[in-house]
């Protein structure tokens, strides 16, 4: 799996550029999260439980949300045989199916979670590699896609397993909760996690009470905790990953569904970006590696190139770019093209009076042309022939990526 890792100096330079004020026309930065959301929010489940396909998945779809379902896709498991076709439907609806190992084995060789079940443990790193391959084969056969992310059974992992999982997956999530800090707030993952193979999570009761400190079966308690999850993620501008098993008596169902309503409302308001663990991981890698080159700026056109130097087939989530426009440009006639195709955009005004153009593009090395004029007649004719409309006015676009 091809990735690009920048030197500490390069990362520092890019961070300074990203954080810089819009000082001149053409000056651009990559938004921390898609659509300039303040935080990212990923909803995940583990294991093969019926309520995931019968209740949780449909509840997400109904609200326009997506989740990551970490499954054990072995036909030796009755639960997988029973629900795999329903998981396939969830995948068709835009949810992610990801790896929790074939049969819920501890991934650290010879370190079982339960001394009474020493057989449920990898015996070598080579067995872990084989398991990763088997999961990918099983999910590809079911959905046409391999797994892109991972969750540790029982939360058992080490540096060696991180390295092996890095050969197959974009990121890996732990199972232990992100507990409150000294100020009493929950702490999400930072926008650029130090270790993408040690992501922590907000732990929602249900089948994991041994890690839990709140009585989530109580409506008022659950409602309060869920509310703080969302609020603290937005305030921290971080990445929340929720870890869930099933809707049972250990969690108040009404509080959970209202929590999903709140996430959907926050997304609609532009406060959070909900997406799968795979897509948020893709965004982070692409954002942190992206380079924006201003090729030219003249009286009525601006040309930029945005490239993350990563595998375009794998890193296929667009980035949100904010670009300062020249002060003498009229926003009444404005068109934005990526590799010749018109794209939608937003406009906003900074406190210093600068006009900022916001748009989503893949960091694939293509050209972004920002034109302060209508397209040439020949261009309009070609676009009409192709059935492509031109976005001349600012229009708010929403994902899914």
């Amino acid at each position: 799996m091809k990735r690009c890792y920048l030197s500490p100096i390069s990362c520092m330079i890019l961070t300074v550029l990203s954080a810089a004020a819009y000082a001149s026309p053409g000056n651009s930065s990559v938004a921390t999260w898609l659509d300039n959301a303040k935080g990212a929010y990923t909803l995940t489940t583990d294991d093969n439980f019926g309520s995931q396909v019968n209740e949780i998945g449909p509840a997400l779809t109904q609200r326009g949300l997506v989740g990551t379902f970490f499954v054990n896709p072995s036909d030796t498991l009755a639960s997988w045989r029973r629900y795999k076709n329903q998981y396939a439907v969830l995948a068709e609806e835009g949810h992610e199916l990801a790896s929790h190992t074939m049969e819920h084995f501890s991934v650290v060789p010879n370190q079982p979670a339960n001394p009474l079940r020493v057989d449920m443990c990898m015996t070598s790193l080579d067995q872990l590699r084989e398991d990763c391959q088997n999961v990918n084969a099983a999910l590809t056969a079911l959905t046409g896609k391999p797994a892109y992310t991972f969750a540790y059974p029982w939360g058992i992992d080490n540096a060696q397993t991180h390295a092996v999982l890095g050969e197959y997956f974009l990121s890996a999530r732990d199972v232990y909760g992100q507990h409150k800090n000294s100020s009493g707030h929950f702490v999400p993952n930072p926008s650029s996690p130090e270790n993408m193979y040690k992501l922590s999570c907000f732990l929602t009761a249900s089948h994991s009470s041994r890690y839990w400190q709140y009585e989530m079966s109580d409506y008022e308690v659950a409602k309060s905790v869920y509310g703080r999850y969302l609020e603290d993620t937005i305030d921290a501008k971080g990445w929340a990953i929720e870890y869930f098993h099933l809707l049972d008596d250990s969690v108040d169902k009404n509080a959970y569904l209202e929590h999903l309503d709140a996430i959907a409302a926050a997304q609609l308001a532009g406060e959070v970006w909900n997406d799968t663990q795979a897509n948020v991981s893709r965004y982070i890698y692409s954002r942190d590696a992206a380079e924006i080159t201003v090729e030219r700026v003249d009286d009525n056109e601006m040309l930029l190139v945005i490239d993350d130097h990563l595998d375009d087939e794998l890193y296929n989530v667009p980035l949100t770019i904010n670009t300062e426009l020249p002060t003498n440009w009229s926003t009444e006639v404005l068109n934005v093209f990526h590799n010749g195709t018109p794209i939608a955009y937003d406009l906003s005004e900074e406190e210093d009076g600068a006009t900022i153009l916001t748009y989503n593009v893949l960091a694939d090395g293509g050209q972004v042309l920002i034109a302060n004029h209508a397209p040439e007649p020949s261009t309009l004719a070609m676009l009409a022939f192709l059935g492509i409309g031109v976005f001349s006015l600012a229009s708010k676009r929403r994902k899914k990526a």
Side-chain angles (χ1 to χ4, degrees):
M1 181 175 290
K2 177 185 173 185
R3 298 195 184 89
C4 173
Y5 294 96
L6 302 178
S7 68
I9 294 177
S10 298
C11 287
M12 182 172 64
I13 292 173
L14 285 176
T15 300
V16 170
L17 289 175
S18 177
Y22 296 96
S24 62
N27 191 27
S28 302
S29 67
V30 183
T32 301
W33 302 118
L34 190 70
D35 289 339
N36 282 317
K38 296 178 182 178
Y41 215 99
T42 295
L43 297 156
T44 72
T45 68
D46 288 9
D47 308 337
N48 312 333
F49 288 102
S51 64
Q52 295 177 8
V53 295
N54 294 322
E55 298 183 79
I56 297 175
L60 296 179
T61 300
Q62 181 182 9
R63 291 163 174 78
L65 302 173
V66 291
T68 295
F69 294 82
F70 290 106
V71 296
N72 307 107
S74 172
D75 282 328
T76 64
L77 302 176
S79 58
W80 180 247
R81 296 195 304 271
R82 183 180 302 121
Y83 301 124
K84 67 178 180 180
N85 290 333
Q86 291 173 268
Y87 278 114
V89 171
L90 293 180
E92 291 175 359
E93 294 173 345
H95 304 284
E96 177 190 6
L97 300 189
S99 177
H100 200 41
T101 74
M102 287 295 289
E103 299 181 29
H104 208 279
F105 276 29
S106 167
V107 300
V108 176
N110 303 313
Q111 187 177 331
N114 187 336
L116 300 179
R117 293 302 306 274
V118 294
D119 57 316
M120 296 188 68
C121 177
M122 303 293 173
T123 59
S124 67
L125 293 178
D126 284 340
Q127 185 183 358
L128 174 57
R129 289 187 176 91
E130 183 179 359
D131 188 90
C132 295
Q133 295 164 9
N134 289 340
V135 168
N136 283 339
L139 293 184
T140 299
L142 182 68
T143 69
K145 296 180 181 179
Y148 292 107
T149 60
F150 187 90
Y152 297 103
W154 296 291
I156 297 175
D157 63 288
N158 61 17
Q160 289 71 36
T161 58
H162 298 172
V164 171
L165 295 174
E167 300 171 14
Y168 298 93
F169 307 112
L170 293 166
S171 61
R173 195 218 69 209
D174 212 327
V175 303
Y176 296 100
Q178 294 162 318
H179 299 294
K180 294 187 296 183
N181 60 19
S182 57
S183 62
H185 292 282
F186 289 103
V187 182
N189 291 289
S191 58
S192 294
E194 181 178 352
N195 185 350
M196 291 289 282
Y197 297 91
K198 190 68 174 175
L199 298 173
S200 68
C201 59
F202 289 154
L203 177 59
T204 297
S206 186
H207 201 62
S208 302
S209 57
R210 64 185 182 276
Y211 304 133
W212 196 235
Q213 56 181 315
Y214 300 101
E215 186 51 66
M216 295 293 278
S217 60
D218 182 280
Y219 172 80
E220 293 298 335
V221 172
K223 185 179 176 70
S224 174
V225 171
Y226 284 138
R228 297 206 317 265
Y229 279 174
L230 187 56
E231 292 168 7
D232 289 344
T233 297
I234 293 171
D235 289 343
K237 297 179 173 57
W239 178 18
I241 304 178
E242 271 195 36
Y243 159 46
F244 204 79
H245 271 95
L246 70 162
L247 284 175
D248 63 6
D249 293 340
S250 66
V251 62
D252 186 275
K253 184 175 180 178
N254 289 330
Y256 179 69
L257 295 179
E258 289 176 12
H259 173 50
L260 298 185
D261 289 335
I263 295 172
Q267 174 161 264
L268 188 62
E271 294 286 292
V272 296
W273 165 41
N274 159 251
D275 216 323
T276 63
Q277 184 169 314
N279 279 350
V280 177
S281 297
R282 289 183 175 102
Y283 191 96
I284 290 171
Y285 283 120
S286 183
R287 178 201 65 205
D288 289 354
E291 295 178 343
I292 303 175
T293 303
V294 180
E295 297 287 331
R296 63 179 172 86
V297 178
D298 56 33
D299 290 340
N300 59 9
E301 286 190 350
M302 186 183 303
L303 186 65
L304 295 79
V305 174
I306 303 168
D307 198 354
D308 58 13
H309 308 288
L310 301 174
D311 181 349
D312 293 336
E313 185 175 347
L314 178 61
Y315 295 89
N316 54 8
V317 171
L319 299 178
T320 294
I321 310 298
N322 297 302
T323 298
E324 182 177 342
L325 296 178
T327 57
N328 62 336
W329 277 24
S330 168
T331 56
E332 295 300 316
V333 184
L334 194 65
N335 291 281
V336 185
F337 301 87
H338 179 236
N339 292 333
T341 300
I343 59 175
Y345 60 84
D346 288 334
L347 291 171
S348 61
E349 188 170 312
E350 298 290 284
E351 291 182 358
D352 61 2
T355 299
I356 306 301
L357 180 78
T358 299
Y359 50 95
N360 291 348
V361 291
L362 293 170
D364 57 3
Q367 293 185 331
V368 174
L369 175 65
I370 304 171
N372 190 215
H373 58 75
E376 298 297 327
S378 59
T379 302
L380 282 173
M382 178 58 71
L383 293 174
F385 175 76
L386 296 174
I388 300 174
V390 177
F391 295 91
S392 295
L393 299 176
S395 58
K396 182 69 178 178
R397 79 262 138 240
R398 297 299 299 171
K399 55 165 207 52
K400 287 292 185 217

